[in-house]
Structure formats: structure tokens, C-alpha cells
Amino acid sequence: MTRASKLLPPRRPATFLPRPLLAQRLDRARDYRLTTVVAGAGFGKSTLLGPWVSDLQGCWYTIDKTDASPGTLARGLVDSLRVKVPGLSPDLNAALQGSFGADEGAGSQVEALAGQVGGALDDVDDLVLVLDDLHEISAQTDSGRLIEALCRHAPEHCHIVLSSRAQPPFPIERMRGQGLVLDIDASVLAFSEEEVATLLQFSSGHGDRDLAGELHALTLGWPAAVRLAAEAFQGSPPDRRRAVLKGLRRPGGSLVTYLAAEVFPRESESVRELLRRVAHFERFTPELCEVVGIPDATETVWELATRGLLVRLESDSGEWFVLHSLVREFVLGHWPLSGDEVRSLHMRAAEWFEARGDLDSAIQSLNAAADRPSIARILEKRGDEMLRSGHADHVIWASDLLTGGLR
């Protein structure tokens, strides 16, 4: 990517889908010091922000690996701001030349430069700066500290929007507690079923509401997945589209190929291990993740939910999550556990479920672990309890699993 192209926001695509409610929420960014737009690949972050910031005549900067150097990042940020503010203080040129040398990135230099940039914007009214692909900057780096300091030093009438596949690489809880942060995540960016139907109508000229419902159920509104399906439907007769949809999720299908190429290559080993384990459960909690071998899982679970790989369930029994169905299919097919690992996983989970009184889930895990004697033990000791709680169907199903003397 050339330096000039990093200053240009993406254009509105030909198949742009107007989303008035999302646009209204994004417009609120001008009431906040900082806005975070955090979601996984393919949730339309850049597609949303590019036309928006262009309409506002705001500033744009796309971060890439070269910005790991704070000097490169600082010069890029100032170049971006000069698109909107051509007369930005000339003193910044000297500051940029002198702030970063052989000892590039000393903390005091980073802080001082951010203060100078912020001060140079004091006389600018209602400035919006979008920093796209912030995930290219690692945590605890001088480039991250430079952006953090800029967020703190920017005047109140400057609004910074951070777009990323991960949470900012620096803490923003204090700003959030002061009411200075607007959050937009995957749950907001995902298409509604109505929007899926509109996109299918727009792209193929056919408004099959049942097909739109099936596509939404499969993708949960993941914009890239919906658009891939819509493109695949073009030229297919209506009676073939469900077959096309099934083909998209098979090995080698475009949805699976997209996940393999765009979503998972950058994932850490700890994230992969969590996904490999939770893919074997219909639902799970951070505590269950730790029980089955993922330490300190809470932060990772919430991060993945923000990005749209997990979906949070509303429940009276605590915070439960489910793995996105496309992600689950991919993980089970591409990152499988061994048979012994699956058995050990479910044995530990069954013990945890039973201790919580979730006997249905305990029996399901014991069945996955092929531990019929333990199923018989639960039915013998707690079968009446399950019947009284209205789970007769589960008791019958569990009983049918037993053979011979166990029955």
C-alpha cells in the first residue's frame, strides 16, 4: 500500500446497502471523544466507515505493518490530518524529524509528539479522524502508546474512530467510565434478517423471504458471508438456491475458503485451543472453558463475542455463549481433537454440569464420552428429580442409550 493510498477511505461499493439505524448510531461518534468499531474480518467495518468519513470530509489513515515504527506512524497521522487541515502547524515537521531517532520511541518523545499534534488541532472545529486496521499494531509498543496519547491529548472537538479486529492495544476503561467512548461491535454490524432479504432482492432480483431467513440463520448476519452467498445465487434458478447454499459450507466452498483465508490465519494459539474445545458444546461459559483446559478464558471469550465469532445468549443461569455455526463447522473440520482428547474434554465437562444440577447437559457429555455406566448412575440417583423438573423426554432418551444390565 502506497503512502498516499493509506490516506484515502474506501469508496462506497456498487452493492452498498443503506442501513439507516446503523448510520444513526455511527453519527453519534461526533458526540464522543473516542469510538471503537471492533469486529472480525468481513463485518464491513471499512465499508461502513469509508463513505461516512468521506461525507463528513474527515481524515482517514489505514494502518499497516510499516506503522510498527512510531516515526512512520506519526508522519502518516500528520499527513492524514493535513488532508482536512492544510495549514496544520509547520512546527510539526521539525517535531517529526527530531522526535524519533536511533532510540526511536522513547516514552517521553511519544507523549510529547502526541501533545504537539493535539495542540495543533486546538483551532480546528469538529474534526473526525478514522484509524483503520488498528489490529496491525501490537500491544505494549510505542506506536500503540502514540495512538493512546493522541486519544488523550486531542481536543474535545476532535473525534477519533478506531477500527480493528481486536480491542485497542491500550486501556480505555477510564475514558469509557467518563462517558467518552462509543462502542460498535459485531452484534451491531451484523445484517438483520430484513437486511439480508433486501440484499438478496438487490443483488439477484428475487426476494425469497424463506431463503433469506435460512441464510440469516446460517450466517447470523455476518456481512461477508451474506454477500458471498448473494453472489453465488446470481444466475441460479430459484429452485437451485438451497442447493447452492449447502455447497457454500462444504469443504472447498466459498464460505469455508473465506474463513480459512481471512478469519483464522492470524489467530493466536490460545484462541485456536479455546475454539477447538468449545466447538464440542452446544453452549458454554468462561468457567466451563477453564474446566476443560483453557486458563483465564473470560477475557478471550468476551473478545471473540465482540468480534462476532461467539454469540452471547440471554439466560437466567449466567453468561452463556454459543460458537457461530460457520466457525464451529470450520473448527471441527480443520482443527479436530483426537478421540482421547474429546473423551477427556467431555468427562470433565460432565462433572461440572452435574455439580451445577444441569443433568441434561451432563448426560449429553457422558454420551459423547461413551461413559454409559455414569449415565446409568445419574438416572438411578437423580432420574426422579429430572422427571419432576419436566425432563421426561431426556430421561427416556438417556434410558435408550443403555443396554444389557445397565438398563
Side-chain angles (χ1 to χ4, degrees):
M1 181 178 291
T2 66
R3 183 157 181 153
S5 65
K6 295 175 65 167
L7 309 181
L8 299 175
R11 296 181 178 179
R12 183 176 281 107
T15 57
F16 182 76
L17 177 68
R19 307 181 69 186
L21 294 179
L22 182 55
Q24 290 175 16
R25 183 176 181 84
L26 185 56
D27 281 338
R28 293 176 56 201
R30 300 168 71 184
D31 298 324
Y32 291 83
R33 173 75 63 83
L34 177 66
T35 296
T36 66
V37 183
V38 178
F43 270 89
K45 302 180 293 297
S46 301
T47 302
L48 169 72
L49 292 170
W52 175 76
V53 75
S54 295
D55 291 344
L56 294 177
Q57 296 184 328
C59 303
W60 179 278
Y61 188 69
T62 299
I63 295 171
D64 61 24
K65 296 185 184 301
T66 65
D67 294 298
S69 161
T72 300
L73 175 62
R75 286 184 282 274
L77 291 176
V78 172
D79 286 346
S80 171
L81 292 168
R82 282 204 172 104
V83 171
K84 176 71 180 291
V85 193
L88 198 62
S89 173
D91 294 340
L92 283 176
N93 287 327
L96 288 173
Q97 294 298 323
S99 290
F100 302 102
D103 60 341
E104 181 170 299
S108 59
Q109 295 173 336
V110 168
E111 192 75 20
L113 179 61
Q116 286 179 289
V117 174
L121 298 174
D122 281 339
D123 297 328
V124 180
D125 291 331
D126 200 27
L127 175 70
V128 173
L129 170 63
V130 175
L131 302 181
D132 196 28
D133 288 346
L134 183 63
H135 52 268
E136 294 288 353
I137 292 179
S138 302
Q140 303 302 316
T141 62
D142 291 314
S143 290
R145 294 185 186 97
L146 175 59
I147 295 178
E148 177 185 12
L150 182 61
C151 291
R152 288 189 282 103
H153 286 292
E156 290 185 3
H157 51 266
C158 292
H159 315 287
I160 298 176
V161 180
L162 304 178
S163 174
S164 179
R165 296 183 186 182
Q167 291 293 341
F170 47 83
I172 59 173
E173 286 73 17
R174 183 174 181 180
M175 293 181 66
R176 185 177 281 119
Q178 295 172 333
L180 301 176
V181 179
L182 173 66
D183 294 304
I184 297 176
D185 62 16
S187 66
V188 178
L189 294 170
F191 288 148
S192 67
E193 185 174 334
E194 182 69 28
E195 287 172 328
V196 172
T198 300
L199 184 65
L200 291 184
Q201 174 71 39
F202 179 76
S203 62
S204 64
H206 296 278
D208 187 334
R209 298 305 296 261
D210 290 338
L211 182 63
E214 292 176 27
L215 180 56
H216 185 267
L218 170 65
T219 63
L220 297 182
W222 194 333
V226 173
R227 290 186 181 278
L228 285 171
E231 291 175 6
F233 292 154
Q234 293 182 13
S236 298
D239 60 352
R240 286 285 304 155
R241 287 180 182 161
R242 281 169 178 78
V244 170
L245 185 58
K246 290 181 180 179
L248 293 174
R249 58 196 297 183
R250 295 192 184 110
S254 59
L255 292 182
V256 174
T257 301
Y258 178 81
L259 291 173
E262 298 292 335
V263 178
F264 291 118
R266 298 168 58 98
E267 296 298 348
S268 66
E269 188 61 29
S270 61
V271 168
R272 290 190 180 214
E273 285 304 308
L274 185 147
L275 294 176
R276 292 177 75 208
R277 284 166 169 75
V278 301
H280 291 271
F281 299 100
E282 293 182 2
R283 62 174 189 161
F284 54 90
T285 68
E287 183 182 352
L288 177 58
C289 293
E290 296 187 10
V291 167
V292 298
I294 303 296
D296 304 319
T298 299
E299 183 176 348
T300 303
V301 166
W302 279 103
E303 171 79 14
L304 294 176
T306 298
R307 292 167 50 194
L309 300 185
L310 308 181
V311 180
R312 180 173 174 264
L313 298 177
E314 297 291 342
S315 173
D316 296 333
S317 58
E319 298 287 357
W320 288 90
F321 297 84
V322 297
L323 193 56
H324 193 291
S325 61
L326 289 175
V327 175
R328 186 180 190 187
E329 289 180 13
F330 178 90
V331 170
L332 290 174
H334 289 75
W335 302 338
L337 297 174
S338 69
D340 288 343
E341 287 176 317
V342 172
R343 175 178 169 80
S344 175
L345 179 87
H346 279 293
M347 290 300 292
R348 283 182 280 176
E351 183 178 355
W352 183 78
F353 282 126
E354 185 176 357
R356 288 171 53 94
D358 186 351
L359 302 180
D360 296 339
S361 296
I363 291 174
Q364 287 176 1
S365 276
L366 289 171
N367 181 48
D371 186 352
R372 303 293 189 271
S374 292
I375 295 176
R377 173 184 56 78
I378 290 178
L379 290 178
E380 180 181 8
K381 292 185 175 181
R382 306 184 69 174
D384 287 345
E385 176 185 336
M386 295 177 68
L387 291 172
R388 287 195 299 271
S389 61
H391 292 181
D393 289 344
H394 290 87
V395 172
I396 295 171
W397 170 77
S399 299
D400 288 341
L401 298 174
L402 305 180
T403 58
L406 291 177
R407 173 170 291 189

